[in-house]
Amino acid sequence: MTPRSRLNFSQNDEQKRITIRYIGDVDGQEIVNGIARYLETVGEVWLYDIIIDMRRFEGFVPFEELGRLARQWATIAQGRDMGRKVAIISQDPLVLARAKAYPVTFPTRVIRIFAEMIDGENWIEGQETTAPAAEDTPRAS
């Protein structure tokens, strides 16, 4: 990671929400390792909705790395996160192109992609919002 690039985590235990920000040109492997380390520190992490803010991300996460994160997440959550939400905030065409692959990779989660943070936050909170950039529903594994 360069000095300007980093992963930033914030956690709201009352709302059961974790926000993860990718800032700058962060390596995909570093993102996966950092997220996995962080999630292991959160008690009952499977009860949390997650916002992934990629608006200032300049890098690329190879699909193999996403698969590795999915396997680590499955070990941590053990299916106890069925229906929890993940809002991805991004206008990156690659993120949008992968939209249909995310629910296959993370089958217990409801994942939607939004261009604006407020829309993702509103959706997580169950409020009506503008249409997401992409969406899918969880499937039982």
Side-chain angles (χ1 to χ4, degrees), residues 69-85:
L69 180 59
R71 288 187 299 278
Q72 289 176 305
W73 174 251
T75 299
I76 293 168
Q78 299 177 7
R80 295 173 286 194
D81 63 327
M82 181 60 76
R84 298 306 313 191
K85 297 176 180 178

Side-chain angles (χ1 to χ4, degrees), residues 79 82 107-108 139-141:
M82 181 60 76
T108 56
R139 320 162 209 264
S141 30

Side-chain angles (χ1 to χ4, degrees), residues 53 55 88-91 96 113-120 130-133:
D53 182 0
R55 293 173 298 173
I88 300 172
I89 315 302
S90 178
Q91 295 182 29
L96 295 173
I113 302 170
F114 298 89
E116 301 298 329
M117 179 66 90
I118 189 68
D119 294 326
T130 59

Side-chain angles (χ1 to χ4, degrees), residues 4-20:
R4 292 186 191 181
S5 61
R6 66 184 188 277
L7 284 176
N8 177 278
F9 300 94
S10 58
Q11 178 177 327
N12 183 317
D13 293 325
E14 187 176 308
Q15 292 181 323
K16 296 290 188 206
R17 182 181 310 156
I18 294 169
T19 302
I20 304 169

Side-chain angles (χ1 to χ4, degrees), residues 60-110:
F60 169 75
V61 180
F63 208 76
E64 307 79 58
E65 291 296 327
L66 287 176
R68 188 165 63 85
L69 180 59
R71 288 187 299 278
Q72 289 176 305
W73 174 251
T75 299
I76 293 168
Q78 299 177 7
R80 295 173 286 194
D81 63 327
M82 181 60 76
R84 298 306 313 191
K85 297 176 180 178
V86 176
I88 300 172
I89 315 302
S90 178
Q91 295 182 29
D92 183 327
L94 177 61
V95 173
L96 295 173
R98 289 179 167 178
K100 293 209 181 295
Y102 295 130
V104 173
T105 308
F106 296 90
T108 56
R109 291 273 166 162
V110 181

